[in-house]
Amino acid sequence: MTSLNGTRSVALQINDLQVTYYTDAGRVKAVDGVSLTLQSGERLGLVGESGCGKSTLALALMQMIKPPGRIESGSAIIYTDDGAVDLLKLSEEEMRQTRLSKISYIPQGAMNSLNPVMRIGAQMLDAMQDHLPRASKRELIERAEHALESVELKRSVFQMYPHELSGGMKQRVCIAIGILLNPKVIIADEPTSALDVVVQRQVMETIRRVQEKINAAVILIGHDMGLMAQVTHRVAVMYAGKLVEVSNVREIFRHPLHPYAQALIRSLPRLKNKGVFHGIPGLAPSLLHLPSGCVFHPRCDRAMEICKIAAPPRSTTPDGRFVSCHLYDEQGNPTTPDQRGMQAHTSPR
Ligand code: SF4
């Protein structure tokens, strides 16, 4: 497990982000009040089951939410040498300039997004041209080849077509494109899915190395808690569009606070429990028909009366962990049965 050392500065601050999809079947709050702060050089794992809002959060930061989706409210301030800007307030043109240079996104299945009939080098030059209009072609080629080397590919890959590369190499090309302009924040959405386990580790190692080199903050989206344990500094757990816990990686694996985080960690295979698997009972709820109170209550093995009627508080512990659950008061201290009973009596239905 990794710890974040040295002096850090805030790279990205997300405040109360809300994203809604207006579907024929009704309104879906895909991201509901998410707040997060990332430091430069930090690797944050964003985990949760499919459909919990992880990718929607990433798309919102890139202003890539398409109708019927809409960013309802909130802010996402990115801090760069040029000052602080709210990503959600940028015009289309400003956002185009910001993508890649300040924040870059490596989407799910990125390697399939490479144009099969263009050489890798041409695709890299294309990505840079708008951002560096005054750079000579030689400078752009040098920058592209340098980025390829940073992800441990040979310079000769510049001349190759995607079909000449393995899956792992194509994924490295996508990472190289992502770091061409030294962004402050990199979002990698399931960057190792569809790769075999050995290549997964290599690709993750590549992300870690290049991110450290440019001191970028990374949001690593995925559901493989084992992988998160090895590469991230902190883990944020999402459930049904909400953040339920954000903790230092060491703490969340040793002593997860939220029952859903506890269940995710319990479900990891362990050598000493060979062949014994603990699944999480039930299914993630439809975002169209969310349960009342705490949205996790139908699946929670610690659910209480209060959980069915009132949304849990958002608590921050003195050591900076975040949890949203009735088992904790607003300072993150465990609540007593009496406190929970009193809350149940005073909470509106
Ligand atoms: Fe479980 Fe209640 Fe906590 Fe929700 S608020 S996670 S139902 S204990």
Side-chain angles (χ1 to χ4, degrees):
M1 291 186 189
T2 348
S3 56
L4 190 61
N5 299 316
T7 318
R8 303 282 159 183
S9 54
V10 173
L12 179 69
Q13 194 163 16
I14 305 168
N15 301 306
D16 202 16
L17 180 60
Q18 311 255 2
V19 183
T20 304
Y21 284 90
Y22 291 83
T23 71
D24 290 343
R27 242 176 84 181
V28 167
K29 282 188 184 173
V31 175
D32 188 5
V34 167
S35 298
L36 265 177
T37 302
L38 265 100
Q39 306 290 320
S40 56
E42 181 179 24
R43 294 185 293 278
L44 175 95
L46 185 59
V47 299
E49 288 158 294
S50 298
C52 70
K54 309 181 296 277
S55 296
T56 303
L57 173 61
L59 292 174
L61 297 178
M62 301 301 292
Q63 273 203 36
M64 287 164 65
I65 298 284
K66 300 260 183 301
R70 197 159 81 197
I71 299 172
E72 301 283 16
S73 58
S75 60
I77 315 290
I78 190 165
Y79 296 84
T80 68
D81 300 340
D82 308 329
V85 282
D86 184 350
L87 293 170
L88 309 186
K89 301 258 175 335
L90 296 179
S91 67
E92 215 168 289
E93 175 54 27
E94 287 166 335
M95 194 64 213
R96 209 170 53 78
Q97 287 298 329
T98 300
R99 289 189 200 112
L100 221 59
S101 64
K102 295 189 170 83
I103 181 166
S104 72
Y105 177 52
I106 303 167
Q108 245 182 74
M111 58 190 180
N112 302 321
S113 64
L114 293 171
N115 186 333
V117 296
M118 266 174 95
R119 291 182 199 273
I120 298 297
Q123 300 189 48
M124 295 180 88
L125 297 184
D126 253 15
M128 279 186 290
Q129 246 141 16
D130 269 5
H131 293 279
L132 301 170
R134 283 198 283 275
S136 68
K137 185 146 187 211
R138 187 61 248 161
E139 283 165 347
L140 294 180
I141 292 173
E142 178 53 35
R143 192 181 266 262
E145 290 182 345
H146 182 71
L148 288 171
E149 279 183 340
S150 311
V151 296
E152 285 172 340
L153 291 171
K154 294 203 169 100
R155 284 183 173 235
S156 55
V157 168
F158 187 87
Q159 295 295 344
M160 296 168 87
Y161 286 97
H163 70 84
E164 297 177 273
L165 307 175
S166 68
M169 289 168 86
K170 281 191 270 193
Q171 195 61 327
R172 279 165 201 247
V173 166
C174 295
I175 298 167
I177 293 173
I179 57 155
L180 275 171
L181 300 172
N182 295 347
K184 285 283 173 196
V185 177
I186 300 170
I187 305 172
D189 193 351
E190 309 249 8
T192 59
S193 59
L195 298 174
D196 70 54
V197 178
V198 176
V199 182
Q200 274 187 9
R201 301 281 159 195
Q202 292 167 346
V203 169
M204 284 314 308
E205 181 52 27
T206 303
I207 292 179
R208 190 191 61 74
R209 217 169 16 76
V210 295
Q211 164 263 336
E212 279 182 355
K213 198 167 151 200
I214 61 175
N215 201 29
V218 169
I219 300 178
L220 192 62
I221 297 175
H223 48 250
D224 182 343
M225 288 291 274
L227 204 62
M228 295 294 171
Q230 297 193 7
V231 291
T232 62
H233 300 106
R234 274 194 308 156
V235 175
V237 182
M238 275 186 90
Y239 188 80
K242 297 174 198 295
L243 274 185
V244 295
E245 179 165 350
V246 185
S247 287
N248 171 292
V249 69
R250 204 176 289 272
E251 293 298 332
I252 203 167
F253 278 91
R254 276 197 194 149
H255 173 48
L257 296 174
H258 193 280
Y260 178 57
Q262 291 166 1
L264 281 180
I265 287 162
R266 250 195 329 267
S267 68
L268 283 174
R270 285 171 209 274
L271 274 180
K272 62 177 183 201
N273 295 344
K274 240 192 254 172
V276 182
F277 295 102
H278 297 275
I280 304 175
L283 293 172
S286 155
L287 295 181
L288 277 167
H289 307 287
L290 287 174
S292 58
C294 167
V295 288
F296 187 57
H297 87 252
R299 303 173 77 187
C300 181
D301 56 8
R302 316 252 333 248
M304 305 161 283
E305 242 352 88
I306 174 92
C307 305
K308 297 180 195 157
I309 51 180
R314 297 174 181 203
S315 318
T316 305
T317 67
D319 55 352
R321 300 178 71 179
F322 167 86
V323 63
S324 179
C325 170
H326 285 297
L327 292 169
Y328 307 91
D329 67 16
E330 285 184 1
Q331 286 73 46
N333 301 309
T335 46
T336 62
D338 278 358
Q339 282 174 312
R340 293 169 211 147
M342 271 165 52
Q343 284 164 332
H345 283 299
T346 53
S347 301
R349 250 164 227 272

